[in-house]
Amino acid sequence: MMSKVRITQVKSTIDRPERQKLTIKALGLGKLNRSVEKENSDAIAGMIRKVSHLVKVEEI
């Protein structure tokens, strides 16, 4: 079983490139302090890496 991660948006996407906005939306975020739990797959890890400056990640 893959580990799960909790991803919380901690910074706004205002004045960010469109690709970062779309990545945040694809993760299920979009508002500050919103959290989602995802399986930690390679695809999710790549998305987190692209917006790591906007999110906080916790292993659960």
Side-chain angles (χ1 to χ4, degrees), residues 25-56:
K25 190 169 278 259
L27 284 169
L29 301 170
K31 292 190 176 186
L32 288 182
N33 299 315
R34 181 173 286 171
S35 295
V36 292
E37 293 181 7
K38 301 276 187 187
E39 294 289 334
N40 195 9
S41 66
D42 289 343
I44 296 295
M47 293 167 81
I48 291 170
R49 223 176 0 261
K50 291 291 183 187
V51 294
S52 62
H53 55 290
L54 302 176
V55 298
K56 178 178 76 173

Side-chain angles (χ1 to χ4, degrees), residues 9-25:
Q9 184 176 349
V10 294
K11 283 195 172 179
S12 172
T13 56
I14 294 173
D15 289 337
R16 299 290 177 186
E18 190 65 23
R19 292 191 61 163
Q20 291 178 11
K21 292 179 184 183
L22 292 174
T23 302
I24 288 287
K25 190 169 278 259

